Amino acid sequence: YYYLWIVKQLNDTNLIDFNIDKTNQDYVRELSQKANFSSERLSHFRRCTNYYEYLWFGNFEVSEPTFIQIETTFKEFVNKKA
């Protein structure tokens, strides 16, 4: 749900154009072309994307300490606007 929250936020701020047919990598490419989207923020988005894909498509269970670490990464992305 954190990843969907991020995608919604990026769409709401017109940084991406959400489309059900786009892949997560399409959003990475879209953001990489935005002059007002820093390389640091893009790297952070890629990290969130990797976590999401690894957990969702890999169907892995996560320990509580690992979840807290991943959750922190997502929350930092949402709260940092640079």
Side-chain angles (χ1 to χ4, degrees):
Y1 292 111
Y2 280 112
Y3 193 74
L4 297 176
W5 182 25
I6 287 174
V7 168
K8 181 180 181 335
Q9 180 187 54
L10 292 170
N11 183 68
D12 290 349
T13 56
N14 298 315
L15 287 168
I16 62 169
D17 181 27
F18 176 78
N19 184 307
I20 195 76
D21 294 324
K22 286 185 179 179
T23 67
N24 298 330
Q25 296 309 312
D26 289 332
Y27 296 127
V28 169
R29 277 189 293 282
E30 200 170 333
L31 291 169
S32 71
Q33 297 171 355
K34 300 284 184 177
N36 61 337
F37 203 79
S38 72
S39 59
E40 179 184 343
R41 190 136 163 86
L42 180 61
S43 177
H44 202 156
F45 179 71
R46 280 189 176 123
R47 191 168 36 254
C48 291
T49 300
N50 290 340
Y51 279 142
Y52 170 75
E53 290 180 349
Y54 180 78
L55 295 170
W56 184 259
F57 297 112
N59 198 27
F60 293 103
E61 290 192 29
V62 210
S63 67
E64 185 174 347
T66 301
F67 174 79
I68 291 169
Q69 176 187 355
I70 292 169
E71 180 182 43
T72 300
T73 301
F74 280 98
K75 286 181 175 181
E76 285 173 352
F77 182 86
V78 169
N79 293 323
K80 186 174 181 184
K81 307 297 183 196

Coordinates of all heavy atoms in Angstrom, one line a residue:
Y1 N 0.8 -1.2 0.0 CA 0.0 0.0 0.0 C 0.9 1.3 0.0 O 0.5 2.3 -0.5 CB -1.0 0.0 1.2 CG -2.0 -1.1 1.0 CD1 -2.1 -2.2 1.9 CD2 -3.0 -1.0 0.0 CE1 -3.0 -3.1 1.7 CE2 -3.9 -1.9 -0.1 CZ -4.0 -3.0 0.7 OH -4.9 -4.0 0.6
Y2 N 2.0 1.2 0.6 CA 2.9 2.3 0.6 C 3.3 2.7 -0.8 O 3.4 3.9 -1.1 CB 4.2 2.1 1.5 CG 4.0 2.2 2.9 CD1 4.0 1.1 3.8 CD2 3.7 3.5 3.5 CE1 3.8 1.2 5.1 CE2 3.5 3.6 4.9 CZ 3.6 2.5 5.7 OH 3.4 2.6 7.0
Y3 N 3.6 1.7 -1.6 CA 4.0 2.1 -3.0 C 2.8 2.7 -3.8 O 3.0 3.7 -4.5 CB 4.4 0.8 -3.7 CG 5.1 1.1 -5.0 CD1 6.4 1.6 -5.0 CD2 4.5 0.9 -6.2 CE1 7.1 1.9 -6.2 CE2 5.1 1.2 -7.4 CZ 6.4 1.7 -7.4 OH 7.0 2.1 -8.6
L4 N 1.6 2.2 -3.6 CA 0.5 2.9 -4.2 C 0.3 4.3 -3.7 O -0.1 5.2 -4.5 CB -0.8 2.0 -4.0 CG -0.8 0.6 -4.6 CD1 -2.0 -0.1 -4.2 CD2 -0.6 0.7 -6.1
W5 N 0.5 4.5 -2.5 CA 0.5 5.9 -1.9 C 1.5 6.8 -2.6 O 1.1 7.9 -3.0 CB 0.8 5.8 -0.4 CG 0.7 7.0 0.4 CD1 0.0 8.1 0.1 CD2 1.3 7.3 1.6 NE1 0.1 9.1 1.1 CE2 1.0 8.6 2.1 CE3 2.2 6.5 2.4 CZ2 1.5 9.1 3.2 CZ3 2.7 7.1 3.6 CH2 2.3 8.3 4.0
I6 N 2.7 6.3 -2.8 CA 3.7 7.1 -3.5 C 3.3 7.4 -5.0 O 3.4 8.5 -5.4 CB 5.0 6.4 -3.5 CG1 5.6 6.4 -2.1 CG2 6.0 7.0 -4.5 CD1 6.9 5.6 -1.9
V7 N 2.8 6.4 -5.7 CA 2.4 6.6 -7.1 C 1.2 7.6 -7.1 O 1.2 8.5 -8.0 CB 2.0 5.2 -7.7 CG1 1.2 5.4 -9.0 CG2 3.2 4.3 -7.9
K8 N 0.3 7.5 -6.2 CA -0.8 8.4 -6.1 C -0.3 9.9 -5.9 O -0.7 10.8 -6.6 CB -1.9 8.1 -5.1 CG -3.0 9.0 -5.0 CD -4.0 8.7 -4.0 CE -5.2 9.6 -3.9 NZ -5.1 10.9 -4.3
Q9 N 0.6 10.0 -5.0 CA 1.2 11.3 -4.6 C 1.9 11.9 -5.9 O 1.8 13.1 -6.2 CB 2.2 11.2 -3.5 CG 2.8 12.5 -3.1 CD 3.9 12.3 -2.0 OE1 4.8 11.5 -2.2 NE2 3.7 13.0 -0.9
L10 N 2.7 11.0 -6.6 CA 3.4 11.5 -7.8 C 2.4 11.9 -8.9 O 2.6 12.9 -9.6 CB 4.3 10.4 -8.3 CG 5.5 10.1 -7.4 CD1 6.3 8.9 -7.8 CD2 6.5 11.3 -7.3
N11 N 1.3 11.2 -9.0 CA 0.3 11.5 -10.0 C -0.4 12.8 -9.6 O -0.6 13.7 -10.4 CB -0.7 10.4 -10.1 CG -1.7 10.7 -11.2 OD1 -1.4 10.7 -12.4 ND2 -3.0 10.8 -10.7
D12 N -0.8 13.0 -8.3 CA -1.5 14.1 -7.8 C -0.7 15.4 -8.0 O -1.2 16.5 -8.1 CB -1.9 14.0 -6.4 CG -3.0 13.0 -6.1 OD1 -3.6 12.5 -7.1 OD2 -3.2 12.6 -5.0
T13 N 0.7 15.3 -8.0 CA 1.5 16.5 -8.1 C 2.0 16.6 -9.6 O 3.0 17.3 -9.8 CB 2.7 16.4 -7.1 OG1 3.4 15.2 -7.4 CG2 2.3 16.5 -5.7
N14 N 1.4 15.8 -10.5 CA 1.7 15.9 -11.9 C 3.2 15.5 -12.2 O 3.7 16.0 -13.2 CB 1.4 17.2 -12.5 CG -0.1 17.5 -12.4 OD1 -0.9 16.7 -12.7 ND2 -0.5 18.7 -11.9
L15 N 3.8 14.7 -11.4 CA 5.2 14.3 -11.7 C 5.1 13.0 -12.6 O 6.1 12.8 -13.3 CB 5.9 14.0 -10.4 CG 6.4 15.3 -9.7 CD1 6.9 15.0 -8.3 CD2 7.4 16.0 -10.5
I16 N 4.1 12.3 -12.5 CA 3.8 11.1 -13.4 C 2.4 11.2 -13.9 O 1.6 11.9 -13.3 CB 4.1 9.8 -12.7 CG1 3.1 9.5 -11.6 CG2 5.5 9.6 -12.3 CD1 3.0 8.1 -11.1
D17 N 2.2 10.5 -15.0 CA 0.8 10.4 -15.6 C 0.4 9.0 -15.4 O 0.8 8.1 -16.1 CB 0.9 10.8 -17.0 CG -0.5 10.7 -17.7 OD1 -1.5 10.9 -16.9 OD2 -0.6 10.5 -18.9
F18 N -0.4 8.7 -14.3 CA -0.8 7.4 -14.0 C -1.6 6.8 -15.1 O -2.5 7.4 -15.7 CB -1.6 7.3 -12.7 CG -2.1 6.0 -12.4 CD1 -1.3 5.0 -11.8 CD2 -3.4 5.6 -12.7 CE1 -1.7 3.7 -11.6 CE2 -3.9 4.3 -12.4 CZ -3.0 3.4 -11.8
N19 N -1.3 5.5 -15.4 CA -2.0 4.8 -16.4 C -1.9 3.3 -16.0 O -0.8 2.8 -15.8 CB -1.4 5.0 -17.8 CG -2.3 4.3 -18.9 OD1 -2.5 3.1 -18.8 ND2 -2.6 5.1 -19.9
I20 N -3.1 2.7 -16.0 CA -3.1 1.3 -15.5 C -2.2 0.4 -16.4 O -1.8 -0.7 -15.9 CB -4.6 0.8 -15.5 CG1 -4.7 -0.5 -14.8 CG2 -5.1 0.6 -16.9 CD1 -4.7 -0.4 -13.3
D21 N -1.9 0.8 -17.6 CA -1.1 -0.1 -18.5 C 0.4 0.2 -18.3 O 1.2 -0.6 -18.9 CB -1.5 0.2 -20.0 CG -2.9 -0.3 -20.3 OD1 -3.3 -1.3 -19.7 OD2 -3.6 0.4 -21.1
K22 N 0.8 1.2 -17.6 CA 2.2 1.5 -17.4 C 2.8 0.5 -16.3 O 2.1 0.1 -15.4 CB 2.4 2.9 -16.9 CG 2.2 3.9 -18.0 CD 2.6 5.3 -17.5 CE 2.4 6.3 -18.5 NZ 2.7 7.7 -18.0
T23 N 4.1 0.3 -16.5 CA 4.8 -0.5 -15.5 C 5.5 0.4 -14.5 O 5.6 1.6 -14.7 CB 5.9 -1.4 -16.1 OG1 6.9 -0.6 -16.7 CG2 5.3 -2.3 -17.2
N24 N 6.0 -0.2 -13.4 CA 6.7 0.6 -12.4 C 8.0 1.2 -13.1 O 8.3 2.3 -12.8 CB 7.1 -0.2 -11.2 CG 5.9 -0.8 -10.5 OD1 4.8 -0.1 -10.5 ND2 6.0 -1.9 -9.9
Q25 N 8.6 0.5 -14.0 CA 9.8 1.0 -14.7 C 9.4 2.1 -15.6 O 10.2 3.0 -15.9 CB 10.5 -0.2 -15.4 CG 11.0 -1.2 -14.5 CD 11.9 -0.6 -13.4 OE1 12.8 0.2 -13.6 NE2 11.6 -1.1 -12.2
D26 N 8.2 2.1 -16.2 CA 7.7 3.3 -16.9 C 7.7 4.5 -16.1 O 8.1 5.6 -16.5 CB 6.3 3.0 -17.5 CG 6.3 2.0 -18.6 OD1 7.3 1.8 -19.3 OD2 5.2 1.4 -18.8
Y27 N 7.3 4.4 -14.8 CA 7.3 5.6 -13.9 C 8.7 6.0 -13.6 O 9.0 7.2 -13.5 CB 6.5 5.3 -12.7 CG 5.0 5.0 -12.9 CD1 4.4 3.8 -12.5 CD2 4.3 5.9 -13.7 CE1 3.1 3.6 -12.7 CE2 2.9 5.6 -14.0 CZ 2.3 4.5 -13.5 OH 1.0 4.3 -13.8
V28 N 9.6 5.1 -13.4 CA 11.0 5.4 -13.2 C 11.5 6.2 -14.4 O 12.2 7.3 -14.2 CB 11.9 4.2 -12.9 CG1 13.4 4.5 -12.9 CG2 11.5 3.5 -11.6
R29 N 11.3 5.8 -15.6 CA 11.7 6.5 -16.8 C 11.1 7.8 -16.9 O 11.8 8.8 -17.2 CB 11.4 5.7 -18.1 CG 12.4 4.6 -18.4 CD 12.2 4.0 -19.7 NE 11.0 3.2 -19.8 CZ 10.9 2.0 -19.3 NH1 11.8 1.4 -18.7 NH2 9.7 1.3 -19.5
E30 N 9.8 7.9 -16.6 CA 9.1 9.2 -16.6 C 9.7 10.2 -15.7 O 10.0 11.4 -16.0 CB 7.6 9.0 -16.3 CG 6.7 10.0 -16.7 CD 5.2 9.6 -16.6 OE1 4.9 8.4 -16.6 OE2 4.4 10.5 -16.4
L31 N 10.0 9.8 -14.5 CA 10.6 10.6 -13.5 C 12.0 11.0 -13.8 O 12.5 12.2 -13.5 CB 10.6 10.0 -12.1 CG 9.2 9.8 -11.5 CD1 9.2 8.9 -10.3 CD2 8.6 11.2 -11.1
S32 N 12.7 10.1 -14.5 CA 14.1 10.4 -14.8 C 14.2 11.6 -15.9 O 15.2 12.2 -16.0 CB 14.8 9.2 -15.3 OG 14.4 8.8 -16.6
Q33 N 13.1 11.8 -16.5 CA 13.1 12.9 -17.6 C 12.6 14.2 -17.0 O 12.5 15.2 -17.7 CB 12.2 12.5 -18.7 CG 12.7 11.2 -19.4 CD 11.8 10.7 -20.4 OE1 10.6 11.1 -20.6 NE2 12.2 9.7 -21.2
K34 N 12.2 14.3 -15.7 CA 11.7 15.5 -15.1 C 12.9 16.3 -14.6 O 13.7 15.8 -13.7 CB 10.8 15.2 -13.9 CG 9.5 14.4 -14.3 CD 8.6 15.3 -15.0 CE 7.3 14.6 -15.4 NZ 6.3 15.4 -16.0
A35 N 13.1 17.5 -15.0 CA 14.1 18.4 -14.6 C 14.0 18.7 -13.1 O 15.0 18.9 -12.4 CB 14.2 19.7 -15.4
N36 N 12.8 18.8 -12.6 CA 12.6 19.2 -11.2 C 12.5 18.0 -10.3 O 12.1 18.2 -9.1 CB 11.3 20.0 -11.1 CG 10.0 19.2 -11.5 OD1 10.1 18.3 -12.3 ND2 8.9 19.6 -11.0
F37 N 13.0 16.9 -10.7 CA 13.0 15.6 -9.9 C 14.5 15.3 -9.7 O 15.1 14.8 -10.7 CB 12.2 14.5 -10.5 CG 11.7 13.5 -9.6 CD1 10.6 13.7 -8.8 CD2 12.4 12.3 -9.5 CE1 10.2 12.7 -7.9 CE2 12.0 11.3 -8.6 CZ 10.9 11.5 -7.8
S38 N 15.0 15.5 -8.6 CA 16.5 15.3 -8.3 C 16.9 13.8 -8.5 O 16.1 12.9 -8.4 CB 16.9 15.7 -7.0 OG 16.4 14.8 -6.0
S39 N 18.2 13.6 -8.8 CA 18.7 12.3 -9.0 C 18.6 11.5 -7.7 O 18.4 10.3 -7.6 CB 20.1 12.3 -9.6 OG 21.0 13.0 -8.7
E40 N 18.8 12.3 -6.6 CA 18.7 11.6 -5.2 C 17.3 11.1 -5.0 O 17.1 10.0 -4.5 CB 19.1 12.6 -4.2 CG 19.0 12.1 -2.8 CD 19.2 13.1 -1.7 OE1 19.8 14.2 -2.0 OE2 18.9 12.8 -0.5
R41 N 16.3 11.9 -5.4 CA 14.9 11.5 -5.2 C 14.6 10.3 -6.1 O 13.8 9.4 -5.8 CB 14.0 12.7 -5.4 CG 12.6 12.4 -5.0 CD 12.0 13.6 -4.3 NE 10.5 13.6 -4.2 CZ 9.9 12.9 -3.3 NH1 10.5 12.2 -2.4 NH2 8.5 13.0 -3.3
L42 N 15.1 10.4 -7.3 CA 14.9 9.3 -8.3 C 15.5 8.0 -7.7 O 14.9 6.9 -7.8 CB 15.5 9.6 -9.6 CG 15.3 8.6 -10.7 CD1 13.9 8.3 -11.0 CD2 16.1 9.0 -12.0
S43 N 16.7 8.1 -7.2 CA 17.3 6.9 -6.6 C 16.4 6.4 -5.4 O 16.3 5.1 -5.3 CB 18.7 7.3 -6.1 OG 19.3 6.2 -5.4
H44 N 15.9 7.2 -4.6 CA 15.0 6.8 -3.5 C 13.7 6.2 -4.1 O 13.3 5.1 -3.5 CB 14.6 8.1 -2.7 CG 14.2 7.8 -1.3 ND1 14.3 8.7 -0.3 CD2 13.7 6.7 -0.7 CE1 13.9 8.2 0.8 NE2 13.5 7.0 0.6
F45 N 13.2 6.7 -5.1 CA 12.0 6.1 -5.8 C 12.3 4.7 -6.3 O 11.6 3.8 -6.2 CB 11.4 7.0 -6.9 CG 10.2 6.4 -7.5 CD1 9.0 6.3 -6.9 CD2 10.3 5.9 -8.8 CE1 7.9 5.7 -7.5 CE2 9.2 5.3 -9.4 CZ 8.0 5.2 -8.8
R46 N 13.5 4.6 -6.9 CA 13.9 3.3 -7.4 C 14.0 2.3 -6.3 O 13.7 1.1 -6.4 CB 15.3 3.4 -8.1 CG 15.2 3.9 -9.5 CD 16.6 3.8 -10.2 NE 16.5 4.2 -11.6 CZ 17.2 5.1 -12.1 NH1 18.1 5.8 -11.4 NH2 17.0 5.4 -13.4
R47 N 14.6 2.7 -5.1 CA 14.7 1.8 -4.0 C 13.3 1.3 -3.5 O 13.1 0.2 -3.2 CB 15.4 2.5 -2.8 CG 15.8 1.6 -1.7 CD 16.8 2.3 -0.7 NE 16.7 3.7 -0.5 CZ 17.5 4.7 -0.9 NH1 18.5 4.4 -1.7 NH2 17.2 5.9 -0.6
C48 N 12.4 2.3 -3.5 CA 11.0 1.9 -3.1 C 10.4 1.0 -4.1 O 9.7 0.0 -3.7 CB 10.1 3.2 -3.0 SG 10.5 4.3 -1.6
T49 N 10.6 1.2 -5.4 CA 10.1 0.3 -6.4 C 10.7 -1.1 -6.3 O 10.0 -2.1 -6.4 CB 10.5 0.9 -7.8 OG1 9.9 2.2 -7.9 CG2 10.0 0.0 -8.9
N50 N 12.0 -1.1 -6.0 CA 12.6 -2.5 -5.9 C 12.1 -3.2 -4.7 O 11.8 -4.4 -4.8 CB 14.2 -2.3 -5.7 CG 14.8 -1.9 -7.0 OD1 14.3 -2.0 -8.1 ND2 16.0 -1.3 -6.9
Y51 N 11.9 -2.5 -3.6 CA 11.2 -3.2 -2.4 C 9.9 -3.7 -2.8 O 9.5 -4.8 -2.5 CB 11.1 -2.2 -1.2 CG 12.3 -2.0 -0.4 CD1 12.7 -0.7 0.1 CD2 13.2 -3.0 -0.1 CE1 13.8 -0.5 0.9 CE2 14.3 -2.8 0.7 CZ 14.6 -1.6 1.2 OH 15.7 -1.4 2.0
Y52 N 9.1 -2.8 -3.4 CA 7.7 -3.2 -3.7 C 7.7 -4.5 -4.7 O 7.0 -5.5 -4.4 CB 7.0 -2.1 -4.4 CG 5.7 -2.5 -5.0 CD1 4.6 -2.8 -4.3 CD2 5.6 -2.7 -6.4 CE1 3.4 -3.2 -4.8 CE2 4.4 -3.1 -7.0 CZ 3.3 -3.3 -6.2 OH 2.1 -3.8 -6.7
E53 N 8.5 -4.4 -5.7 CA 8.5 -5.5 -6.7 C 9.1 -6.8 -6.0 O 8.5 -7.9 -6.3 CB 9.3 -5.2 -7.9 CG 8.6 -4.1 -8.7 CD 9.4 -3.7 -10.0 OE1 10.6 -4.0 -10.1 OE2 8.8 -3.0 -10.8
Y54 N 10.1 -6.7 -5.2 CA 10.7 -7.9 -4.5 C 9.6 -8.5 -3.6 O 9.5 -9.8 -3.6 CB 11.9 -7.4 -3.8 CG 12.6 -8.6 -3.0 CD1 13.4 -9.5 -3.7 CD2 12.4 -8.7 -1.7 CE1 14.1 -10.5 -3.0 CE2 13.1 -9.8 -1.0 CZ 13.9 -10.6 -1.7 OH 14.5 -11.6 -1.0
L55 N 8.9 -7.7 -2.8 CA 8.0 -8.3 -1.9 C 6.7 -8.7 -2.5 O 6.1 -9.8 -2.2 CB 7.7 -7.3 -0.8 CG 8.9 -6.9 0.1 CD1 8.6 -5.8 1.0 CD2 9.4 -8.2 0.9
W56 N 6.2 -7.9 -3.4 CA 4.9 -8.2 -4.0 C 5.0 -9.4 -5.0 O 4.3 -10.4 -4.9 CB 4.3 -7.0 -4.8 CG 3.0 -7.3 -5.3 CD1 2.6 -7.5 -6.6 CD2 1.7 -7.3 -4.6 NE1 1.3 -7.7 -6.7 CE2 0.7 -7.6 -5.5 CE3 1.4 -7.0 -3.3 CZ2 -0.6 -7.6 -5.1 CZ3 0.1 -7.1 -2.9 CH2 -0.9 -7.4 -3.8
F57 N 5.9 -9.3 -5.9 CA 6.0 -10.3 -7.0 C 6.8 -11.6 -6.5 O 6.6 -12.7 -7.0 CB 6.6 -9.8 -8.2 CG 5.8 -8.7 -8.9 CD1 6.2 -7.4 -8.9 CD2 4.5 -9.0 -9.4 CE1 5.4 -6.4 -9.4 CE2 3.7 -8.0 -9.9 CZ 4.2 -6.7 -9.9
G58 N 7.7 -11.4 -5.5 CA 8.4 -12.5 -4.9 C 7.6 -13.2 -3.9 O 8.0 -14.3 -3.5
N59 N 6.6 -12.5 -3.4 CA 5.7 -13.1 -2.4 C 6.5 -13.6 -1.2 O 6.3 -14.7 -0.7 CB 4.9 -14.2 -3.0 CG 3.7 -14.6 -2.2 OD1 3.1 -13.7 -1.4 ND2 3.2 -15.8 -2.2
F60 N 7.4 -12.7 -0.7 CA 8.2 -13.1 0.5 C 7.6 -12.5 1.7 O 7.0 -11.4 1.7 CB 9.6 -12.4 0.3 CG 10.4 -13.0 -0.8 CD1 10.5 -12.3 -2.0 CD2 11.0 -14.3 -0.7 CE1 11.3 -12.9 -3.0 CE2 11.7 -14.8 -1.7 CZ 11.9 -14.1 -2.9
E61 N 7.7 -13.2 2.8 CA 7.3 -12.7 4.1 C 8.5 -12.0 4.7 O 9.7 -12.2 4.3 CB 7.0 -13.9 5.0 CG 5.7 -14.6 4.6 CD 5.2 -15.5 5.7 OE1 5.4 -15.3 6.9 OE2 4.5 -16.5 5.3
V62 N 8.2 -11.0 5.5 CA 9.3 -10.1 6.0 C 9.2 -10.1 7.5 O 8.1 -10.1 8.1 CB 9.1 -8.7 5.6 CG1 10.4 -7.9 5.5 CG2 8.3 -8.5 4.3
S63 N 10.3 -10.1 8.2 CA 10.4 -10.0 9.6 C 10.0 -8.6 10.0 O 10.0 -7.6 9.2 CB 11.8 -10.3 10.1 OG 12.7 -9.3 9.7
E64 N 9.6 -8.4 11.3 CA 9.2 -7.1 11.8 C 10.3 -6.1 11.6 O 10.1 -5.0 11.1 CB 8.7 -7.2 13.2 CG 8.2 -5.8 13.7 CD 7.6 -5.9 15.1 OE1 7.3 -7.0 15.6 OE2 7.3 -4.8 15.6
P65 N 11.6 -6.4 12.0 CA 12.7 -5.4 11.8 C 12.9 -5.0 10.4 O 13.1 -3.8 10.1 CB 13.9 -6.1 12.4 CG 13.4 -7.2 13.3 CD 12.1 -7.6 12.7
T66 N 12.8 -6.0 9.5 CA 12.9 -5.6 8.0 C 11.7 -4.8 7.6 O 11.9 -3.8 6.8 CB 13.0 -6.9 7.2 OG1 14.1 -7.7 7.7 CG2 13.2 -6.6 5.7
F67 N 10.5 -5.1 8.0 CA 9.4 -4.3 7.7 C 9.6 -2.8 8.1 O 9.3 -1.9 7.4 CB 8.1 -4.8 8.2 CG 6.9 -3.9 8.0 CD1 6.3 -3.9 6.8 CD2 6.5 -3.1 9.0 CE1 5.2 -3.0 6.5 CE2 5.4 -2.2 8.7 CZ 4.8 -2.2 7.5
I68 N 10.0 -2.7 9.3 CA 10.2 -1.3 9.8 C 11.2 -0.5 9.0 O 11.1 0.6 8.7 CB 10.7 -1.4 11.3 CG1 9.5 -1.8 12.2 CG2 11.1 0.0 11.8 CD1 9.8 -2.2 13.6
Q69 N 12.3 -1.2 8.6 CA 13.3 -0.6 7.7 C 12.7 -0.2 6.4 O 12.9 0.9 5.9 CB 14.5 -1.5 7.5 CG 15.5 -1.0 6.5 CD 16.6 -2.1 6.2 OE1 16.6 -3.2 6.7 NE2 17.4 -1.7 5.3
I70 N 11.9 -1.1 5.8 CA 11.3 -0.8 4.5 C 10.3 0.3 4.6 O 10.2 1.2 3.8 CB 10.7 -2.1 3.9 CG1 11.8 -3.1 3.5 CG2 9.8 -1.8 2.7 CD1 11.3 -4.4 3.2
E71 N 9.5 0.2 5.7 CA 8.4 1.2 5.9 C 9.1 2.6 6.1 O 8.6 3.6 5.5 CB 7.7 0.9 7.2 CG 6.6 1.9 7.6 CD 5.9 1.5 8.8 OE1 6.6 1.1 9.8 OE2 4.6 1.6 8.9
T72 N 10.2 2.7 6.8 CA 10.9 4.0 6.9 C 11.3 4.5 5.6 O 11.2 5.7 5.3 CB 12.1 3.7 7.8 OG1 11.7 3.3 9.1 CG2 12.9 5.0 8.0
T73 N 11.8 3.7 4.7 CA 12.2 4.1 3.4 C 11.0 4.8 2.6 O 11.2 5.8 2.0 CB 12.8 2.9 2.5 OG1 13.9 2.4 3.2 CG2 13.2 3.4 1.1
F74 N 9.9 4.1 2.7 CA 8.7 4.7 2.0 C 8.2 6.0 2.7 O 7.9 6.9 1.9 CB 7.5 3.6 2.0 CG 7.7 2.6 1.0 CD1 8.2 1.4 1.3 CD2 7.2 2.8 -0.3 CE1 8.3 0.4 0.3 CE2 7.3 1.8 -1.3 CZ 7.9 0.6 -0.9
K75 N 8.2 6.0 4.0 CA 7.8 7.2 4.6 C 8.7 8.4 4.4 O 8.3 9.5 4.2 CB 7.6 7.0 6.1 CG 6.4 6.2 6.5 CD 6.3 6.0 8.0 CE 5.0 5.3 8.3 NZ 4.8 5.1 9.8
E76 N 10.0 8.1 4.3 CA 11.0 9.2 4.0 C 10.7 9.7 2.6 O 10.9 10.9 2.4 CB 12.4 8.6 4.1 CG 12.9 8.4 5.6 CD 14.3 7.7 5.6 OE1 14.8 7.3 4.6 OE2 14.8 7.7 6.8
F77 N 10.4 8.9 1.7 CA 10.2 9.3 0.3 C 9.0 10.3 0.3 O 9.0 11.3 -0.3 CB 9.9 8.2 -0.6 CG 9.7 8.6 -2.0 CD1 10.8 8.8 -2.9 CD2 8.4 8.9 -2.5 CE1 10.6 9.3 -4.2 CE2 8.2 9.4 -3.8 CZ 9.3 9.6 -4.6
V78 N 7.9 9.8 1.0 CA 6.7 10.6 1.0 C 6.9 12.0 1.7 O 6.4 13.0 1.2 CB 5.5 9.9 1.7 CG1 4.3 10.8 2.0 CG2 5.1 8.7 0.9
N79 N 7.7 12.0 2.8 CA 7.8 13.2 3.5 C 8.9 14.2 3.0 O 8.9 15.4 3.3 CB 8.2 12.9 5.0 CG 7.0 12.2 5.7 OD1 5.8 12.5 5.4 ND2 7.3 11.2 6.5
K80 N 9.8 13.7 2.1 CA 10.8 14.5 1.6 C 10.4 14.9 0.2 O 10.2 14.1 -0.7 CB 12.2 13.8 1.5 CG 13.3 14.7 1.1 CD 14.6 14.0 1.2 CE 15.7 14.9 0.8 NZ 17.0 14.2 0.8
K81 N 10.3 16.2 -0.1 CA 9.8 16.7 -1.3 C 11.0 17.1 -2.3 O 10.7 17.4 -3.4 CB 8.9 17.9 -1.1 CG 7.8 17.7 -0.1 CD 6.9 16.6 -0.6 CE 5.7 16.5 0.4 NZ 5.0 15.3 0.2
A82 N 12.2 17.0 -1.9 CA 13.3 17.4 -2.8 C 13.5 16.5 -4.0 O 13.2 15.4 -4.0 CB 14.6 17.5 -2.0

